[in-house]
Amino acid sequence: MNRETSRELYDRSLDVLVGGVNSTVRAAPQPYPTFVQSGDGGHVIDADGNRYIDWVMGLGPLLLGHDLPQPVTAAIQRRASDGPLFGTPTEIEVEHAEFVARHVPSVELLRFVNSGTEATVSAVRLARGYTGRNKIVVMQGGYHGAQESTLVEGDADHRGPSSAGIPPAFAQHTIPVPFNDADAVTEVFETHGDDIAAVLVEPILANKGIVEPVAGYHETLRDLTHDHGALLIWDEVITGFRVGGLGCAQSEFDITPDVTTFGKIIGGGFPVGAIGGRTDVMEEFTPTGDVFQAGTFSGHPVTMAAGLETLQYAAENDVYEHVNRLGGRLREGLAAVVAEHAPAYTVVGRDSMFKVVFTRDGDAQSGACTGGCRQDPDCERHAACPKTGADVGDAAVQRWNRVFRPQLLDAGVLLSQNQFESQFVSYGHTEADVDETIEAYRNAL
Ligand code: PLP
C-alpha cells in the first residue's frame, strides 16, 4: 500500500506542529500517522487515496458516520450562513438543552462548553464550590481530558501528577483508586470523607481498553457519595448518547448521578462539551451562583445545530438499532476468531463500542471469551477479564500497537491509535464492513 503522501505530510508537519500533531495520541501510530483526506459512510480515504474501514470515527463523536444525513447537513449550513456566532444567546442552545434534559432524567439544567476537558474542569470546580471541599476521587486508568485535577497517578497513599507542569500540591487533592474495588474506595471515604467534593467516574472505562463495572460497583459509589455529602459526577463524554441510546449509560445502569459531563456526540462532530445536573447543584455556576464559568465559543450555534440535529435524527430513525446490532455482530464474530486463534484475548465493549484486549491470563482451559465482557461471575474466564485499568495496562500492549494495528491498516482497516482507545460503530457502517473486519482480525491473529 502506498502511503508516501502521509509520510511526506508528517515530515512537513514536524517542522510546524509539536510532534507533528495537535493531539498527542494521534502521533502514536508508527512510523507515522495516516493523514485522512475525506470520509465516506463508514470509511475514510487517506491522502494517498487508500480506502479504509474506519472504526476510529473521530474517537467517538461520529454516531452517524462520515456522511451526515441531509437534515443535519442542512441545519449546519443554515446556521453557518446566518453568521457563525454572536456572543449573545441563540434559540438553538435552548432547543439543544431541552432535548438533553428531556432524555436524560438526572439532567435538569445544562451549561454547554467546547470540549470534554472543559466539561470535566468545570464539573470539578462546581463540585468543589458546591460542597466547599477540595478532594476529588478518580479511577486509575480513567481519563477525563487534559486537565490539572485528573492528570494524577499513583494510589490513595502515594500520588503525584502524571504530567510535567502540574504542581505536586494539586495532586494531593485528587485520590486515584482502582476501578471496581469497592473496599478501596470505601477506605478512602473512611479516611477523607469530610473533605471529598466528588467522585468522578466513567460508567465504563472507555479509554483503557473498555473495562465494564462489576455488579454493585456504581451502587457503592452512589451510596458512599450520598452518605458523605459528596457529589457523584458521571463522565459520559464517550458513553453519552452512545451507550444506552438517548438515555445514556446512566439509564442502562440505572444510576442517578448528581452531575454528568458530556462531549463528543452531542456536538455532532464539532467541538463541544457540556455539564448537566440537578438544579440546586448547577445553579452554583455563575451567574446564579459563585463558581465562575464562561466561554466565548460556548453554545456555538453551528455546533448546537449539528449536535441537536444528530440527536433528533437518531431519535427518529433506526440509528441505535443499527449501530448496536452491528456492534453485537462484530463482538460475536471477534469472539469466534479469538476462541480459535487467541483464546487468551478478551473481547470487550457494549452497544456500539468494541475492542479486543490482548490479555495474557486467559487460556484455552478457562474457556474463550464469548464476546462483550459483562463481568459475569458465572463466566468460565471471569478471572481473566480486565477489572481495572492496570489489568489492561498489563496486556500485550506493544503487540497490539506495533504488530497488530499495522497489519490491520495494511488490510484496509483503520483501528484506534493504541490498545487503550475504544473503537466505534457508526450508522454509516454496513454488515459487509463488519464481516470484512472480522476476516482481517482472523488473518492477523
Ligand atoms: N472524558 C472522557 C471520558 C473522554 O474520553 C475524553 C476524551 O476522549 C474527555 C473527557 C476529554 O474530552 P476532549 O478530548 O473533548 O477534551
Side-chain angles (χ1 to χ4, degrees):
M1 192 179 274
N2 174 19
R3 280 195 280 268
E4 197 52 26
T5 311
S6 278
R7 195 190 62 76
E8 280 168 15
L9 284 172
Y10 191 56
D11 193 18
R12 229 176 95 197
S13 68
L14 285 167
D15 280 341
V16 284
L17 293 171
V18 180
V21 290
N22 283 307
S23 186
T24 298
V25 76
R26 292 179 205 166
Q30 306 230 353
Y32 48 84
T34 300
F35 279 68
V36 168
Q37 184 70 35
S38 61
D40 177 18
H43 295 201
V44 287
I45 293 102
D46 74 10
D48 290 284
N50 303 307
R51 176 179 279 269
Y52 308 88
I53 304 171
D54 174 26
W55 300 110
V56 181
M57 282 293 146
L59 286 172
L62 302 181
L63 178 64
L64 302 179
H66 293 290
D67 292 329
L68 298 179
Q70 194 275 336
V72 183
T73 311
I76 293 168
Q77 288 172 345
R78 205 167 44 242
R79 282 293 148 188
S81 64
D82 283 346
L85 89 167
F86 310 102
T88 68
T90 52
E91 185 177 359
I92 190 83
E93 300 163 62
V94 186
E95 286 178 9
H96 197 334
E98 285 169 346
F99 185 99
V100 176
R102 201 161 57 242
H103 288 91
V104 188
S106 75
V107 172
E108 292 170 355
L109 288 182
L110 281 123
R111 173 67 55 87
F112 284 106
V113 292
N114 303 293
S115 69
T117 298
E118 217 183 301
T120 63
V121 167
S122 299
V124 166
R125 190 183 309 134
L126 178 69
R128 287 176 169 151
Y130 179 81
T131 60
R133 301 170 176 184
N134 288 330
K135 289 193 165 46
I136 303 289
V137 175
V138 297
M139 304 297 135
Q140 294 162 354
Y143 181 66
H144 306 287
Q147 65 127 318
E148 267 64 4
S149 291
T150 58
L151 288 176
V152 170
E153 60 192 8
D155 57 30
D157 298 326
H158 305 98
R159 51 193 190 271
S162 61
S163 161
I166 299 177
F170 284 23
Q172 292 317 305
H173 295 304
T174 302
I175 306 178
V177 295
F179 190 56
N180 277 332
D181 187 337
D183 290 343
V185 70
T186 304
E187 206 178 305
V188 162
F189 267 91
E190 278 163 8
T191 312
H192 302 283
D194 290 347
D195 196 25
I196 294 176
V199 172
L200 172 60
V201 62
E202 296 168 77
I204 50 185
L205 295 190
N207 292 279
K208 201 76 182 201
I210 309 181
V211 181
E212 287 274 326
V214 298
Y217 186 64
H218 282 306
E219 285 76 3
T220 299
L221 298 181
R222 182 62 284 186
D223 291 347
L224 283 171
T225 45
H226 180 267
D227 293 349
H228 288 83
L231 296 182
L232 179 65
I233 307 173
W234 265 35
D235 185 348
E236 293 230 40
V237 166
I238 282 193
T239 55
F241 298 98
R242 181 170 292 283
V243 171
L246 296 173
C248 305
Q250 50 199 266
S251 70
E252 191 133 312
F253 290 105
D254 199 19
I255 294 284
T256 306
D258 302 298
V259 173
T260 303
T261 51
F262 300 96
K264 310 234 183 211
I265 288 176
I266 58 157
F270 290 80
V272 81
I275 310 101
R278 270 195 350 248
T279 300
D280 64 310
V281 179
M282 291 297 294
E283 284 195 336
E284 206 53 41
F285 274 138
T286 50
T288 41
D290 297 328
V291 175
F292 186 72
Q293 207 292 319
T296 300
F297 295 104
S298 296
H300 194 288
V302 178
T303 301
M304 294 291 99
L308 178 60
E309 287 295 331
T310 294
L311 294 179
Q312 265 165 357
Y313 189 88
E316 290 161 13
N317 294 277
D318 62 342
V319 172
Y320 289 113
E321 189 277 321
H322 180 92
V323 296
N324 294 349
R325 183 171 51 78
L326 291 195
R329 186 182 174 104
L330 255 171
R331 288 186 297 271
E332 266 175 41
L334 294 175
V337 171
V338 159
E340 205 181 323
H341 298 286
Y345 294 175
T346 309
V347 180
V348 290
R350 67 164 61 210
D351 291 358
S352 55
M353 297 169 64
F354 76 99
K355 196 86 182 177
V356 175
V357 180
F358 283 16
T359 35
R360 301 172 197 260
D361 300 341
D363 60 34
Q365 275 79 45
S366 62
C369 181
T370 51
C373 173
R374 292 289 176 279
Q375 309 290 12
D376 176 4
D378 296 330
C379 174
E380 281 183 323
R381 65 191 306 285
H382 177 64
C385 288
K387 307 281 179 300
T388 65
D391 290 345
V392 180
D394 288 341
V397 172
Q398 293 306 327
R399 171 173 293 148
W400 196 99
N401 293 351
R402 290 174 184 267
V403 180
F404 176 70
R405 186 185 184 278
Q407 273 177 289
L408 271 275
L409 192 71
D410 283 341
V413 179
L414 187 71
L415 299 181
S416 58
Q417 288 91 338
N418 57 39
Q419 165 77 101
F420 301 137
E421 308 275 340
S422 179
Q423 292 156 177
F424 303 98
V425 182
S426 79
Y427 197 53
H429 286 111
T430 63
E431 288 187 0
D433 294 331
V434 168
D435 295 346
E436 203 180 309
T437 300
I438 293 168
E439 210 38 47
Y441 270 74
R442 187 188 308 284
N443 293 335
L445 292 177

